[in-house]
Amino acid sequence: MRARLIPIEGGDPVEIVKDLILVGRGEDCELRLDHKSVSKRHCVLVKTDGLVLLRDLGSTNGTRVNGQRVRRGTLLPNDVLSVANFRFTLKFGNGPSGVSAADSPGAPGVSDTPSDTEIEALPPKGDPVRRNALPDGYPA
C-alpha cells in the first residue's frame, strides 16, 4: 500500500517506499530533516500492511502523534506526526488526498468484515497477550 507524509507547512510529499525509514538530521537517515531541533537519529518508521509503526529513538525534543508525545505508536491515515518542529499528515492510497475510494470505509465493494488472511494473523484464542512493560506515552 502506498503511504506518504504530507508536510503541513507545505512542501513536497515524502513517499514511504522502504519498509524501514530512519528519520533524523544525520547523513545516514532516509528522511533527513536538517534542523538543530531534530536529533541525528530521531525516530524510525516501519511500513507494514495497511499501517505505519513509529518508534522514537530517544530524541531530545521528542516525537508526537496527534499532539501526544510518544515512545512508540501506530500511525493511521490522517494522523499528524511531529518530529521536533516538523509536522506531517500521514496519507494512504493513490488519490490526491491520499485515500483512494476503495480504501474509504463504507465504499462500494469494501467490507468491514475481516478477511480470512486478517483473521489468520490474529493470535489464537486462549493465548494471553503479553504487554511490554515500557509505556507507549510519557506521563503528563
Side-chain angles (χ1 to χ4, degrees):
M1 168 168 279
R2 182 178 182 199
R4 293 177 288 162
L5 293 173
I6 311 295
I8 291 179
E9 285 80 25
D12 294 331
V14 178
E15 291 284 338
I16 302 175
V17 293
K18 295 172 91 180
D19 290 337
L20 189 129
I21 294 178
L22 182 60
V23 179
R25 173 169 52 91
E27 292 186 22
D28 59 339
C29 295
E30 286 84 11
L31 175 51
R32 193 156 182 257
L33 302 174
D34 194 17
H35 192 272
K36 63 182 178 181
S37 64
V38 178
S39 296
K40 287 182 183 176
R41 292 186 172 178
H42 201 96
C43 65
V44 65
L45 299 172
V46 179
K47 185 171 74 168
T48 63
D49 293 329
L51 45 104
V52 175
L53 305 174
L54 161 80
R55 174 82 175 185
D56 185 84
L57 299 174
S59 62
T60 302
N61 292 314
T63 304
R64 297 178 184 272
V65 176
N66 298 326
Q68 174 73 35
R69 187 170 178 175
V70 296
R71 291 183 179 145
R72 65 176 179 236
T74 303
L75 297 174
L76 300 173
N78 299 316
D79 276 351
V80 175
L81 169 66
S82 300
V83 176
N85 295 328
F86 294 89
R87 295 179 351 135
F88 302 90
T89 302
L90 180 68
K91 299 289 184 183
F92 287 107
N94 297 322
S97 66
V99 178
S100 65
D103 294 330
S104 300
V110 176
S111 172
D112 291 333
T113 306
S115 69
D116 290 339
T117 306
E118 292 170 321
I119 291 172
E120 288 173 11
L122 295 173
K125 291 183 180 177
D127 283 356
V129 176
R130 295 183 196 153
R131 294 189 57 92
N132 191 322
L134 295 173
D136 291 338
Y138 290 88

